[in-house]
Amino acid sequence: MLWDEASHREERYAAQALLRLDALRGDPQTVPLIEHMVRTGRWWDVTDELAHRVSDLLDADPVRTGALVRDWSTDDDLWLRRLAIIAQLGRRADLDRDLLADVMEQNADDREFFLRKAIGWALRDAARSDPEWVRAFVAAHELSPLSVRGATKHL
């Protein structure tokens, strides 16, 4: 497999790019591969790119994918937790606020930089379509200063 046998990052990027093919977008059979790539890639660039593929899955089957994202939000692997938090970036009108709140609440107390940054990023993105919801969420939750700065950057 291209991913597992890669000797250079660019080969891994190519493997991720294959998941953007129309035939694979939103295909639930890609879930094990996405999870494998996140668990073995173990870095923000891998996770952040694969978040788009999870967004495709949310478009195709929001109920089943929402349950999966909630499971990932409590996984021992911080990169799967980050994936759960940023899975809805760019969804604007399709944003599932309950799902986003659930995954952020599961991770708000974690001191891990990459999770705190992801929470701020997800909230900043949500503020583009629903700034009042973001203001209310930030006011109602104890978030790290990093998350709050990210969330309120453009409010």
Side-chain angles (χ1 to χ4, degrees):
M1 172 191 202
L2 178 59
W3 179 266
D4 290 329
E5 296 174 10
S7 60
H8 296 84
R9 283 193 92 60
E10 292 77 10
E11 292 170 299
R12 285 193 160 187
Y13 295 153
Q16 288 179 299
L18 292 173
L19 290 174
R20 289 195 301 259
L21 294 172
D22 286 341
L24 296 176
R25 292 179 83 135
D27 184 342
Q29 292 182 10
T30 63
V31 169
L33 182 56
I34 290 168
E35 188 170 335
H36 173 72
M37 288 175 158
V38 170
R39 287 187 188 280
T40 58
R42 306 194 54 74
W43 199 238
W44 67 267
D45 61 341
V46 171
T47 302
D48 294 4
E49 174 60 27
L50 291 170
H52 302 293
R53 305 299 63 87
V54 178
S55 183
D56 295 339
L57 291 164
L58 283 163
D59 287 341
D61 188 348
V63 174
R64 189 177 309 172
T65 306
L68 176 66
V69 168
R70 282 182 173 92
D71 287 345
W72 283 343
S73 76
T74 60
D75 197 275
D76 289 339
D77 188 312
L78 84 92
W79 300 108
L80 277 179
R81 294 196 320 270
R82 180 179 171 92
L83 182 65
I85 295 166
I86 64 172
Q88 295 195 77
L89 292 176
R91 292 185 55 79
R92 308 278 199 254
D94 295 325
L95 178 67
D96 181 337
R97 288 162 193 77
D98 292 334
L99 175 59
L100 182 57
D102 288 348
V103 300
M104 290 188 302
E105 287 167 353
Q106 291 295 331
N107 291 281
D109 292 338
D110 198 299
R111 299 192 50 80
E112 171 57 50
F113 169 82
F114 288 104
L115 296 178
R116 290 177 172 202
K117 188 77 171 176
I119 289 170
W121 186 15
L123 286 168
R124 182 173 64 246
D125 187 71
R128 295 176 192 273
S129 59
D130 196 345
E132 293 310 314
W133 181 84
V134 171
R135 282 186 184 97
F137 186 90
V138 170
H141 294 83
E142 283 193 40
L143 301 173
S144 74
L146 177 63
S147 297
V148 172
R149 274 193 310 276
T152 61
K153 184 174 182 178
H154 299 295
L155 290 179

